[in-house]
Amino acid sequence: MTAGKDEESQMSDNDGKKTLGVRGGPRSGNVKQSFSHGRTKNVVVETKRKRVVVPKPGAAKTGAGKGGQAIGDPSKRPAGISDAEMERRMKALQAAKAREAEEAAQREADEKAREEERMRRREEAEAKEREEREREEALKAKAEEEARKKKEAEEAAKRAAAAAAAAPQGEEKGPARSQKAAPAGGAAAAPRKKEREEDRARGKGRDDSRRSGKLTVNQALTGGEGGRQKSMAAMKRKQERARQKAMGAPVEREKVVRDVQVPETIVVSELANRMAERVADVVKSLMKMGMMVTQNQTIDADTAELIVEEFGHRIQRVSDADVEDVIQQIEDDEADLQPRPPVITIMGHVDHGKTSLLDAIRNAKVVAGEAGGITQHIGAYQVKTDSGSTLTFLDTPGHAAFTSMRSRGAQVTDIVVLVVAADDSVMPQTIEAINHAKAAGVPMIVAINKIDKPAADPNKVRAELLQHEVIVEAMSGEVQDVEVSAVTGQGLDELLEAIALQAEILELKANPDRAAEGAVIEAQLDVGRGPVATVLVQKGTLKQGDIFVVGEQWGRVRALVDDKGERVSEAGPSVPVEVLGLNGTPEAGDVLNVVDTEAQAREIAEYRESAAKEKRAAAGAAATLEQLMQKAKDDENVKELPILVKADVQGSAEAIVQAMEKIGNEEVRVRVLHYGVGAITETDVGLAEASGAPIMGFNVRANASARNSANQKGVEIRYYSVIYDLVDDVKAAASGLLSAEIREHFIGYAEIREVFKVTGVGKVAGCLVTEGVARRSAGVRLLRDDVVIHEGTLKTLKRFKDEVKEVQSGQECGMAFENYDDIRPGDVIEIFEREEVERQLD
């Protein structure tokens, strides 16, 4: 019954579950089980010990026999066991007992050694702690001693100043005070020891609470270990700090100052990464500055600089423009330089024979292909002289509209040949060409052309050139002048000799064994071949397959075509070639640079394009609101003629746009809505229709769909092949927008002799026409003391009682003004007529 009750009570303790049990003797105990969310449960466990067989004290004596005698009492021995078997069993039992005794002795020795090791470690730890405590106490005592000595010295100085006799007493009190200070230091050490022990106890308590497995709200908020374990690196750092502290080294590590590269904009997390600081710390610093940002937001370089300096690092500003650093601006070694052909630019006034002169030199009829005998594009040609030397000629247009193209030609040239017609002398574009050559800082050779004409006067040309500071050799100057005729070929050899001599003086050299660099002379969008650029190679050698960047475009050289239209594999310095393989049409004057990889070329081109967009946007946004309002007010009375321009090449389109900008005055102006290169498309027609603008095509035509669209929408398309025809037409159209000019013609004077009041009419002036004629339809002004006091029209003009249209000089008449009565005798009436005159733009 009692056993049953015990079992029932035990089951009630275990919530009706049976007691857990293991094999062995009965020995109960409690086991604490831990579950998730900090729950625990006590479980009663019953353990059984292993049974150890211990023989009875008399068994050993009775069990041993000699000489094969029976061992033990046969009556007590188990049945079926022989004496030999019994003896073997007894020996095994004795061996087991000996082994057990040895193991017990070994365990005792191991336990003793472990106890000694624990004691030794405890003593070492206590000794270390004691040393640390003594060191701290010594430091504190030393500080107190220094403070006490300083105080004593001050008091001694005061006493010495007060009375010299009291000095020995002060010296006697000094040691007494020092003796009292020692126990004070010892007494202060006791509370410190107590505080350390309390801290240790509190720390132990914290560890126990942490290991309990329960996560409280306070632990989660204060950053306790609740479910989050420290990393191995953190543990190692903690151990390292503890070791350094135990060795007496400073715990604070020295801060590593880094050079942080900061571009124009940077993400917050990337900035923290470059500084090797925690992202949270960087975000916190930014929030202190009043910037509510996250780690994925972008900040500018100035803000980043403040953060970098706050964290104690050094900033290195880098720019997006650093992508262009791959374009190496290396200086060529003198040993690598080789002679190169000179680049000669032919300049001069329109129709002075520049292309004809070049044509005569090349022995090819280039001029026949030019509309109206005017060069429309920059052409580049190579010519071999009789002496075997090679010359590169650039033929620039002479019309004023191509000023910008001619300036680009002067930028890449070595020698300028100024062509002046002997029968026409110096003209406006001749002066411009002189200025371009001077600005480019290149030597000039004057070619006096058309010497075969009867009206030719070379000396007049030389004299007029003096006015523009061009002193030729015939006038004791340094500029070479050659009289030539493109028709008869006279003087061509002398011209080539003069060019060769000038080139020899210049000693032109370049390094062909380097990455190519050149200038775009012209660029166009060719149907079938895509964007094509005429490039004059200046340094290095441009080869097929080279990757290059030119302005905002990039590409790989797909093919090179020389001036004769033949494909070549490479082009050296001073060689003009057409380059195929661009991804877009560059602008004339852009510089071509060869780079190593497509990625570099693409990156540089994208940077330049974005920089150009930003520059344009900044230029548009730079105006203030007041400036915009003022501009709108100024433009209220300005009439605009909108046009669209499409040309065959970039240079021509730019030149036309520049010419259009010069047309107009403060009343009328031409506005180019859009200009581009290539055929006229439906998009152009749509834009023209929306803005009511005509389309000007220069050496291009509209495609079929664009023509049909233009006919349906009523958009005017005009085609031109000579640039000044286009300029004249636009100027005439813009002139039609000008308001007519009003001109006044004086026709007579009349003097008021008497003033009458007439019922129903008002005041009527009795006048005498003193000069000219007075007309009823004319305008009149009333002058008093030669000052205009009224301007208007006549209400009535009478001679005697009749209404008349006009009154001749010397006759009397009656006049009444419309809506004006303030007339007096002696006033003078001026009679005039207005005329509207159509105006033209200059």
Side-chain angles (χ1 to χ4, degrees):
M1 286 294 289
T2 56
K5 286 179 182 178
D6 291 343
E7 189 175 349
E8 284 176 10
S9 63
Q10 204 170 17
M11 284 181 69
S12 65
D13 290 343
N14 295 327
D15 301 329
K17 294 181 182 178
K18 283 189 176 182
T19 306
L20 297 174
V22 292
R23 286 195 298 271
R27 192 182 76 179
S28 63
N30 288 339
V31 173
K32 190 175 185 181
Q33 286 185 325
S34 296
F35 300 96
S36 62
H37 306 294
R39 293 186 294 112
T40 59
K41 185 176 180 182
N42 288 330
V43 180
V44 179
V45 180
E46 192 177 277
T47 60
K48 294 184 179 179
R49 304 177 80 180
K50 187 178 178 182
R51 187 177 63 183
V52 181
V53 179
V54 181
K56 293 178 181 179
K61 296 177 183 178
T62 58
K66 293 181 183 178
Q69 295 177 355
I71 300 172
D73 192 356
S75 61
K76 296 181 180 179
R77 186 186 308 162
I81 295 178
S82 63
D83 293 342
E85 180 65 23
M86 194 66 189
E87 185 180 356
R88 192 163 59 252
R89 287 189 179 187
M90 294 303 292
K91 282 182 180 177
L93 183 60
Q94 288 172 2
K97 282 182 181 180
R99 192 162 56 252
E100 199 172 300
E102 285 177 6
E103 287 176 357
Q106 182 66 33
R107 275 198 302 274
E108 190 176 345
D110 289 348
E111 185 65 31
K112 191 174 181 182
R114 278 198 294 273
E115 185 64 29
E116 288 176 356
E117 180 67 17
R118 278 197 296 272
M119 290 295 292
R120 185 180 63 78
R121 286 184 181 174
R122 193 180 297 117
E123 287 173 1
E124 285 181 1
E126 287 175 357
K128 197 174 286 184
E129 190 177 344
R130 192 164 53 250
E131 287 175 7
E132 181 69 20
R133 194 163 55 246
E134 288 173 358
R135 189 169 67 82
E136 288 179 2
E137 288 174 359
L139 288 171
K140 189 155 186 178
K142 186 178 178 183
E144 289 175 356
E145 183 70 19
E146 286 177 357
R148 183 183 57 76
K149 284 183 179 178
K150 188 177 180 183
K151 193 173 180 183
E152 282 181 3
E154 289 174 358
E155 289 178 1
K158 287 178 184 177
R159 284 195 298 272
Q169 294 177 5
E171 288 173 5
E172 288 172 6
K173 288 179 183 177
R177 202 176 291 110
S178 65
Q179 286 173 6
K180 288 177 184 177
R192 282 199 304 276
K193 183 176 180 183
K194 189 175 181 181
E195 285 173 9
R196 278 198 298 275
E197 288 174 354
E198 287 174 359
D199 289 342
R200 207 174 293 118
R202 280 198 296 272
K204 189 175 181 183
R206 278 199 302 272
D207 291 344
D208 291 340
S209 66
R210 190 182 67 198
R211 293 194 188 95
S212 67
K214 293 183 180 180
L215 176 64
T216 64
V217 175
N218 287 336
Q219 280 180 337
L221 291 175
T222 55
E225 288 293 322
R228 243 181 105 185
Q229 295 186 353
K230 286 189 177 180
S231 65
M232 188 63 70
M235 294 297 292
K236 284 181 178 177
R237 287 196 296 269
K238 187 176 179 182
Q239 289 173 357
E240 180 66 18
R241 285 196 296 271
R243 189 179 65 80
Q244 289 183 352
K245 186 176 180 181
M247 292 173 64
V251 179
E252 289 295 327
R253 288 183 299 168
E254 186 178 348
K255 186 172 180 66
V256 179
V257 179
R258 290 178 170 81
D259 291 325
V260 183
Q261 290 189 343
V262 177
E264 291 167 4
T265 57
I266 188 170
V267 179
V268 174
S269 56
E270 176 61 20
L271 178 63
N273 189 25
R274 293 185 183 189
M275 292 192 298
E277 303 285 353
R278 293 176 62 225
V279 178
D281 294 341
V282 177
V283 172
K284 197 182 294 180
S285 295
L286 284 164
M287 286 183 175
K288 285 179 183 176
M289 292 180 180
M291 294 183 65
M292 298 299 157
V293 296
T294 64
Q295 63 178 10
N296 298 322
Q297 284 182 258
T298 303
I299 57 174
D300 59 11
D302 294 333
T303 308
E305 184 174 0
L306 294 174
I307 294 295
V308 170
E309 289 174 353
E310 185 177 335
F311 280 88
H313 299 292
R314 290 186 295 268
I315 188 169
Q316 283 185 349
R317 288 282 191 111
V318 293
S319 172
D320 292 341
D322 294 343
V323 296
E324 297 204 28
D325 290 346
V326 296
I327 300 173
Q328 298 177 351
Q329 299 293 338
I330 52 173
E331 290 293 329
D332 294 316
D333 192 4
E334 285 289 336
D336 298 332
L337 298 178
Q338 297 179 16
R340 65 171 178 85
V343 179
I344 303 103
T345 301
I346 296 182
M347 290 185 175
H349 191 73
V350 59
D351 201 28
H352 272 205
K354 300 182 299 300
T355 309
S356 301
L357 185 62
L358 182 60
D359 173 41
I361 296 171
R362 294 176 64 224
N363 294 321
K365 294 292 180 186
V366 177
V367 74
E370 299 288 358
I374 299 172
T375 306
Q376 305 294 338
H377 316 141
I378 291 182
Y381 318 100
Q382 276 204 322
V383 175
K384 285 198 175 181
T385 61
D386 296 336
S387 59
S389 59
T390 304
L391 307 176
T392 301
F393 283 93
L394 298 183
D395 182 19
T396 61
H399 196 273
F402 287 88
T403 303
S404 60
M405 293 168 63
R406 187 165 56 243
S407 68
R408 286 175 186 146
Q411 285 167 3
V412 296
T413 191
D414 300 313
I415 300 168
V416 169
V417 173
L418 181 66
V419 178
V420 187
D423 61 339
D424 209 7
S425 195
V426 176
M427 299 297 284
Q429 277 92 43
T430 313
I431 300 165
E432 287 180 18
I434 292 169
N435 293 334
H436 284 310
K438 286 181 179 177
V442 292
M444 191 188 309
I445 297 171
V446 177
I448 302 173
N449 195 19
K450 301 186 181 181
I451 200 72
D452 56 307
K453 286 201 172 184
D457 188 357
N459 289 325
K460 182 186 175 187
V461 173
R462 295 185 181 102
E464 289 191 8
L465 286 172
L466 283 172
Q467 299 174 11
H468 305 286
E469 299 177 3
V470 178
I471 307 168
V472 297
E473 288 180 341
M475 298 283 188
S476 304
E478 295 180 355
V479 178
Q480 298 183 77
D481 65 312
V482 184
E483 296 179 7
V484 295
S485 171
V487 178
T488 63
Q490 177 187 345
L492 293 181
D493 293 335
E494 288 86 343
L495 178 61
L496 293 176
E497 283 177 16
I499 293 170
L501 176 63
Q502 189 66 58
E504 192 177 333
I505 294 169
L506 293 173
E507 294 183 353
L508 302 169
K509 291 183 178 180
N511 179 13
D513 304 320
R514 57 163 285 177
E517 183 182 318
V520 176
I521 303 300
E522 190 50 83
Q524 61 186 8
L525 188 63
D526 195 329
V527 178
R529 296 196 299 170
V532 180
T534 304
V535 176
L536 178 70
V537 181
Q538 293 173 294
K539 297 176 185 176
T541 302
L542 186 63
K543 302 173 184 173
Q544 194 168 340
D546 280 350
I547 299 162
F548 62 88
V549 59
V550 50
E552 298 173 28
Q553 313 299 333
W554 67 278
R556 183 190 290 270
V557 179
R558 196 169 73 235
L560 296 172
V561 182
D562 66 5
D563 58 318
K564 299 178 185 67
E566 298 173 358
R567 290 207 170 192
V568 292
S569 59
E570 60 180 36
S574 299
V575 176
V577 284
E578 280 188 333
V579 178
L580 282 72
L582 293 100
N583 73 325
T585 309
E587 293 186 7
D590 285 343
V591 178
L592 179 143
N593 293 100
V594 172
V595 294
D596 295 331
T597 63
E598 280 190 16
Q600 288 177 347
R602 192 183 294 109
E603 192 177 7
I604 294 168
E606 286 174 357
Y607 161 71
R608 288 177 177 174
E609 188 177 2
S610 64
K613 281 182 182 175
E614 287 175 8
K615 190 175 180 182
R616 288 193 290 268
T624 62
L625 183 60
E626 289 79 5
Q627 289 172 330
L628 290 172
M629 290 177 70
Q630 184 62 40
K631 188 175 185 298
K633 195 173 180 181
D634 294 342
D635 291 349
E636 274 181 4
N637 302 321
V638 178
K639 294 179 182 177
E640 284 187 342
L641 173 65
I643 62 168
L644 272 79
V645 176
K646 292 301 284 289
D648 54 343
V649 293
Q650 183 79 20
S652 297
E654 288 181 4
I656 292 168
V657 171
Q658 288 184 5
M660 295 300 105
E661 288 173 354
K662 293 177 183 175
I663 297 174
N665 53 23
E666 65 278 356
E667 293 180 46
V668 175
R669 67 175 169 219
V670 178
R671 183 182 174 200
V672 180
L673 296 174
H674 170 71
Y675 74 94
V677 176
I680 298 167
T681 62
E682 273 191 277
T683 309
D684 299 326
V685 174
L687 179 59
E689 184 206 13
S691 53
I695 300 175
M696 306 294 179
F698 183 77
N699 281 344
V700 294
R701 293 292 182 269
N703 56 35
S705 59
R707 280 198 302 273
N708 295 335
S709 180
N711 290 335
Q712 291 171 4
K713 296 175 179 177
V715 174
E716 183 183 11
I717 300 177
R718 292 194 176 194
Y719 302 117
Y720 298 91
S721 57
V722 177
I723 195 167
Y724 51 72
D725 287 347
L726 187 154
V727 173
D728 291 344
D729 278 7
V730 173
K731 194 179 288 186
S735 298
L737 296 175
L738 285 173
S739 57
E741 184 182 352
I742 306 298
R743 292 183 186 172
E744 288 186 0
H745 297 288
F746 160 77
I747 58 172
Y749 279 114
E751 185 182 341
I752 298 176
R753 295 290 177 91
E754 202 69 48
V755 177
F756 308 98
K757 286 187 179 180
V758 178
T759 307
V761 179
K763 287 185 178 180
V764 176
C767 307
L768 174 67
V769 179
T770 57
E771 191 177 339
V773 63
R775 286 201 181 99
R776 169 80 174 76
S777 59
V780 290
R781 291 191 186 95
L782 184 64
L783 308 180
R784 188 172 295 162
D785 299 328
D786 292 330
V787 176
V788 178
I789 60 172
H790 175 69
E791 181 176 333
T793 56
L794 291 176
K795 189 192 314 184
T796 179
L797 175 64
K798 288 189 175 184
R799 174 135 173 86
F800 301 110
K801 290 187 177 182
D802 301 326
E803 189 80 26
V804 293
K805 288 185 178 180
E806 63 178 40
V807 177
Q808 296 295 326
S809 173
Q811 297 179 347
E812 292 183 344
C813 62
M815 293 184 188
F817 291 92
E818 197 82 55
N819 301 324
Y820 191 77
D821 280 345
D822 183 18
I823 50 178
R824 300 175 190 174
D827 291 348
V828 176
I829 299 173
E830 183 182 76
I831 304 111
F832 61 90
E833 287 183 341
R834 289 189 177 93
E835 180 189 7
E836 289 189 354
V837 180
E838 291 292 331
R839 295 165 61 198
Q840 295 290 328
L841 286 170
D842 297 331

